[in-house]
Amino acid sequence: MDRNSITGLVLIGIILIGYTWLTKPTEEQIRAKQVQDSIERVEAQQALQKEEAEQVHALELAEGLKAEKDSLQMVQEYGVFAQGVQGKEDFVSLENELIRVKLSNKGGRVYSVELKTYQTHDSLPLILWEGEQNHFGLSFYSQKGVVNTQDLFFTPQDDAKKVVATHDAKSVSMRLYAGEEKYIEYKYTLEPDSYMMDFRVNVVGMSDVIARRSNYLTFDWKADLPSQEKGRKFENQYTALYYKYFEDDVEQLSAGSNEMEELTTKVKWLGFKQQFFSSVLIAEDTFKGVKINSINHEETSPILKTMSAEISLPYMGSQLETYPMQFYFGPNHYLTLRKYGKDIEMHKLVDLGWKIFGWVNRFVVIEIFNFLEKFTGNYGLIILLLTLIIKLALAPLTYKSYLSTAKMRVLKPQIDAINEKYPKEKAMERQQATMALYKKAGVNPMGGCLPMLLQFPILIAMFRFFPASIELRQKSFLWATDLSTYDSILELPFEIWQYGDHVSLFCLLMAITNLVYTRMNQQMTSSSQQMPGMQTMMYLMPLMFLFWFNNYASGLSYYYFIATLFTIVQTWAIRKFMVDDEKVLAMMEASKKRPVKKSKFQQRLEEMAKQKGYQPPKK
């Protein structure tokens, strides 16, 4: 670069520096600029805030218009019940020493019931039913259409206290308002130490709300009944919807299938009954017009059955309509249920068997059972003592049965002689000769069957008693942890049809003792006549018991085991010390020598025959 270029660059630099210095703003100009910038920033911020405020106002206005529109829509849709559409679900507990009833302000309904002194088989609190899937409430026609109270929010009265105590009873009142002095009220009252809860529905000032042509309100009650016991299949057999006709018997829907029925006559109560616990709705007077339904669930479901009832409550359009009812939430304990009134017959929820079998249980078995409970709480020992008492009471019948069998046994040679004398072609003569021998010897061929027939009602009664006895529930004995369900000493890796996936030891012992007893009977009767195939059938019975009872209550198998074992010992003792075949034969030979006394009926027949010229054959 030459000298001139350098000189030019220096001059340009001096000019730029001079220009910058000459054009530099003064302090006043700088302060004025800063103030102007601050003003511009504030104005921009204010404009932004104004814009945001306008947007918020527009949003609030839109939301207000929407809320107003929704409110108008709810009023149009729900009418006077619009205020009950929205709310927050809250619960109130009504309880005493025995039960805890959980009430929800949504629908004002019974949400769940807990039995405080019981647990499920896996030690969880025992809840009869609960959850949103259960229905409880009134439905009716209003001026705006169908109203279902379960979907609306009730207002608990005396909200500060929630539960009002009056003379030791506790009550909760919930109201669904439809205007001033217009409401539907549910009032619940629970007495101390009671499974019974009063339930009263009051309909106040609703004549211009409920459709004028309505002559009834429908009370809907629907519940999913969960499994509470270890043996689901066994429990399912004893879970059914029961109902009692007014001044008539107690009936039930089928436990094994889905069933629906419309009850056109008066009904006193409806019960959602499980094996050991029930929820029962009882009318102070009667229910008229009831539809009931029971639906079974699959084995994999935790729910056994879904039961429902639709009850028509008569509505007259008066200023005050009241419907007094009661709920029973409690155990299926025979004496407890009888305590709430013999006339309403809730004790028939405990299935003790039909007619004579039920009488045996009510007047014999239960009385003995309750008497023994006063002395011991060991239910295995109670069953043992109960068995011994029954077997000793039946000992005379057992002795008569054995004696008759012994007589038939010692007569076998003479019966064989008759069979040889009269061939099969002369069956009538053979039968007459055999019956004549029985009559001379003083033997009744049915003598062994009649005592057994008299014991049969007790056998069947016990079959019904043990599975229905809540006293045995969760009571252990020896290896059985619960006498009300099956005992298991071995879990199988597979399931056997009609047998199950476990081995019940009491059932196995029962089958073995029955096999021994069958063998003993076959030895005692081997010399008497038997029907073809009967011997094989008798040996098959213990095997059939093994399949039938493996899933049944271990208390029942234990009873049959002890009863059969005692019968074996009893039969051996009679045979060993009381009945000798030679003495029996001598007694019958002496009986043959005595003249046979003809009955009056036989004398009349012979007299009529003589009048007609018939002469009996000479002997």
Side-chain angles (χ1 to χ4, degrees), residues 150-398:
Q150 175 162 303
D151 301 327
L152 304 174
F153 286 88
F154 282 57
T155 303
Q157 302 304 293
D158 299 307
D159 192 58
K161 296 181 179 179
K162 294 287 186 183
V163 178
V164 180
T166 307
H167 298 101
D168 295 328
K170 298 178 180 179
S171 66
V172 169
S173 177
M174 293 192 175
R175 292 179 180 177
L176 175 63
Y177 284 97
E180 189 175 353
E181 299 300 322
K182 299 178 181 180
Y183 56 85
I184 294 173
E185 180 183 47
Y186 293 164
K187 187 171 183 180
Y188 306 93
T189 304
L190 184 62
E191 298 286 344
D193 196 29
S194 176
Y195 291 108
M196 194 76 78
M197 181 180 72
D198 289 335
F199 173 55
R200 183 177 293 268
V201 178
N202 296 318
V203 180
V204 180
M206 300 287 287
S207 57
D208 60 343
V209 176
I210 297 175
R212 294 183 179 180
R213 293 184 179 181
S214 296
N215 52 17
Y216 66 90
L217 312 177
T218 301
F219 182 75
D220 296 310
W221 181 29
K222 177 183 176 183
D224 289 343
L225 307 185
S227 176
Q228 313 282 7
E229 313 304 327
K230 183 172 71 171
R232 178 190 174 93
K233 291 182 179 179
F234 189 67
E235 180 186 9
N236 199 48
Q237 295 176 18
Y238 289 87
T239 301
L241 198 157
Y242 280 63
Y243 54 94
K244 183 192 184 304
Y245 288 116
F246 179 62
E247 295 182 345
D248 207 338
D249 207 355
V250 175
E251 304 287 347
Q252 69 177 89
L253 296 184
S254 171
S257 61
N258 300 337
E259 192 171 353
M260 178 185 297
E261 191 168 343
E262 185 171 352
L263 311 178
T264 56
T265 55
K266 295 180 180 179
V267 176
K268 182 61 180 177
W269 54 257
L270 301 161
F272 296 173
K273 185 246 180 186
Q274 294 182 255
Q275 184 178 4
F276 294 121
F277 307 98
S278 290
S279 303
V280 186
L281 179 60
I282 310 160
E284 183 176 83
D285 184 15
T286 59
F287 296 129
K288 302 174 183 177
V290 179
K291 295 179 181 179
I292 53 177
N293 190 19
S294 177
I295 300 174
N296 287 284
H297 287 259
E298 296 179 356
E299 291 186 9
T300 55
S301 171
I303 304 300
L304 283 176
K305 288 181 172 69
T306 296
M307 297 182 183
S308 62
E310 294 182 10
I311 305 170
S312 297
L313 304 178
Y315 179 71
M316 305 299 292
S318 304
Q319 176 64 21
L320 172 62
E321 304 265 353
T322 184
Y323 309 95
M325 296 172 267
Q326 287 182 307
F327 273 110
Y328 172 84
F329 301 119
N332 299 330
H333 184 258
Y334 185 80
L335 296 181
T336 300
L337 292 167
R338 279 179 66 91
K339 182 178 70 175
Y340 294 107
K342 296 180 182 179
D343 56 327
I344 63 175
E345 296 184 313
M346 276 206 304
H347 58 270
K348 290 190 176 179
L349 286 167
V350 183
D351 188 1
L352 297 176
W354 175 81
K355 296 297 181 180
I356 187 173
F357 310 122
W359 298 338
V360 170
N361 275 324
R362 282 192 290 273
F363 302 118
V364 179
V365 178
I366 289 179
E367 293 298 328
I368 298 175
F369 197 88
N370 291 334
F371 173 77
L372 295 174
E373 275 186 312
K374 297 176 182 178
F375 302 98
T376 179
N378 187 323
Y379 284 86
L381 180 59
I382 289 175
I383 294 173
L384 174 61
L385 294 174
L386 175 67
T387 308
L388 294 179
I389 291 171
I390 292 175
K391 296 303 291 184
L392 288 173
L394 296 175
L397 294 177
T398 304

Side-chain angles (χ1 to χ4, degrees), residues 450-516:
L450 289 176
M452 295 301 296
L453 186 62
L454 293 174
Q455 297 181 53
F456 187 72
I458 296 178
L459 184 71
I460 299 300
M462 303 305 289
F463 179 81
R464 306 300 302 185
F465 172 76
F466 283 102
S469 298
I470 193 173
E471 292 88 346
L472 301 180
R473 185 178 185 270
Q474 297 180 353
K475 297 296 189 298
S476 61
F477 180 66
L478 299 179
W479 57 85
T481 57
D482 188 345
L483 288 170
S484 70
T485 186
Y486 62 84
D487 60 302
S488 177
I489 59 166
L490 178 64
E491 297 294 330
L492 302 176
F494 50 84
E495 183 171 350
I496 301 174
W497 182 75
Q498 295 297 324
Y499 181 78
D501 57 358
H502 63 274
V503 176
S504 170
L505 182 54
F506 274 131
C507 178
L508 187 60
L509 291 173
M510 178 195 66
I512 292 172
T513 53
N514 272 278
L515 189 63
V516 172

Side-chain angles (χ1 to χ4, degrees), residues 20-65:
T20 301
W21 182 81
L22 289 175
T23 57
K24 182 178 72 173
T26 63
E27 291 294 332
E28 290 78 3
Q29 289 177 331
I30 291 174
R31 286 195 293 272
K33 177 64 174 173
Q34 290 176 344
V35 170
Q36 182 65 31
D37 291 343
S38 297
I39 291 172
E40 289 178 355
R41 284 196 298 271
V42 170
E43 289 178 347
Q45 186 175 2
Q46 288 177 344
L48 180 61
Q49 289 176 347
K50 182 179 180 181
E51 183 179 356
E52 290 178 351
E54 289 177 350
Q55 291 177 353
V56 170
H57 178 69
L59 183 61
E60 289 177 349
L61 182 61
E63 289 179 349
L65 291 173

